Amino acid sequence: MVHGKKGFERIKNGFERVLDSSLSWLVYIPSPKPTENAETSAPEPDFSATGPFARYAPMPRRSSPEITMSPSIQTPSLDQALTNLDTSASTFQEDAVELLEWLGLVTMESPRVSSSDDIDPFLCRYSVPNSNLSKATTIVKIAWKGFLPAPWIRCIFVECCIALKAVPGSWFSLSSHAFNTEAVDGQSGFTILRLPPKSITDSAGLEINVGSKDGDSGKRKLLPADYVLWQMSRGSGMG
């Protein structure tokens, strides 16, 4: 870069007018991947008082999972949710919003979704979607808070899909939210829901779990899994 060029002058102007005071920087350092030879493994960063980062007064934070088990959550029949995909857009959006509202209340551990909730209907008339088909279940929430890169979130999603693939009636929801100060590509977060695997019926009227083998015909019954994605746009609500 040559003095007097446009790029050089922009950098110079930045140091003179913008970077003229102490700033706080957010740095993501992934955990080192273990190798067979411990001596060649990448070392953990040294944030001690005598380490190389001491001069910058670092404030290290390790993102650890917070596991919460919520028993007796009134859960809608998710295998029947959003089944009529050929309905009108307005009907589908209304059902999707109700489902997202329920997920949000579960995430916040609201007493309104508890099977033992007995609040006066005059104060709150909320009910879970398809309440006549709902049942009490135990829901486990695993939450991380921190600077989490997109590839790491994608790995969590894939691992959940693999782990629950063979579990009958299993489902999971994954939510991610950006920092409050800035949206990413106009989106401040998203929620994705993997609905339970479907089931189909063979010629004899017996129910067959999707992905299992029909012992009579030997044909493998496969149907694609259904996913619902909500994107949160800053200032414009759900997308």
Side-chain angles (χ1 to χ4, degrees):
M1 191 171 294
V2 182
H3 180 77
K5 295 292 185 178
K6 184 176 181 180
F8 182 89
E9 293 299 325
R10 291 181 62 181
I11 294 178
K12 180 181 177 182
N13 181 70
F15 279 106
E16 292 177 347
R17 301 190 179 185
V18 180
L19 303 176
D20 57 350
S21 60
S22 178
L23 298 176
S24 298
W25 295 88
L26 182 62
V27 180
Y28 167 71
I29 302 178
S31 299
K33 296 182 179 180
T35 61
E36 296 182 357
N37 188 352
E39 296 181 357
T40 60
S41 299
E44 289 278 356
D46 185 7
F47 292 109
S48 64
T50 58
F53 298 98
R55 57 180 298 187
Y56 304 107
M59 299 177 63
R61 296 289 186 270
R62 182 180 295 273
S63 181
S64 301
E66 299 178 2
I67 304 176
T68 304
M69 182 173 293
S70 302
S72 300
I73 297 297
Q74 202 66 21
T75 306
S77 179
L78 294 176
D79 55 352
Q80 301 294 328
L82 306 174
T83 55
N84 298 322
L85 300 181
D86 56 346
T87 58
S88 63
S90 58
T91 302
F92 177 80
Q93 182 174 6
E94 181 179 352
D95 294 342
V97 169
E98 290 182 355
L99 197 54
L100 179 63
E101 181 183 25
W102 176 79
L103 289 172
L105 292 175
V106 172
T107 301
M108 295 186 298
E109 303 177 24
S110 171
R112 303 288 78 81
V113 294
S114 173
S115 59
S116 59
D117 182 43
D118 58 353
I119 190 172
D120 192 323
F122 181 79
L123 300 177
C124 179
R125 300 182 61 184
Y126 174 79
S127 62
V128 301
N130 298 324
S131 57
N132 57 325
L133 299 176
S134 64
K135 61 181 180 180
T137 59
T138 298
I139 294 180
V140 179
K141 182 182 69 172
I142 306 176
W144 287 268
K145 185 177 181 181
F147 189 20
L148 307 177
W152 185 89
I153 298 176
R154 182 175 64 248
C155 289
I156 292 294
F157 175 76
V158 172
E159 290 293 334
C160 289
C161 290
I162 296 175
L164 301 180
K165 184 177 181 180
V167 181
S170 62
W171 64 274
F172 73 89
S173 174
L174 175 66
S175 298
S176 177
H177 301 278
F179 291 106
N180 294 329
T181 56
E182 186 69 22
V184 180
D185 295 332
Q187 309 295 331
S188 60
F190 67 87
T191 295
I192 186 169
L193 169 66
R194 179 189 181 274
L195 296 174
K198 296 180 180 179
S199 61
I200 55 180
T201 306
D202 64 3
S203 58
L206 300 176
E207 186 179 81
I208 305 172
N209 288 330
V210 173
S212 64
K213 288 186 177 180
D214 184 350
D216 297 332
S217 62
K219 295 181 179 179
R220 189 171 180 83
K221 308 296 185 179
L222 288 174
L223 289 178
D226 286 332
Y227 298 85
V228 185
L229 172 65
W230 295 271
Q231 287 184 325
M232 317 303 174
S233 301
R234 188 172 299 278
S236 59
M238 184 186 70

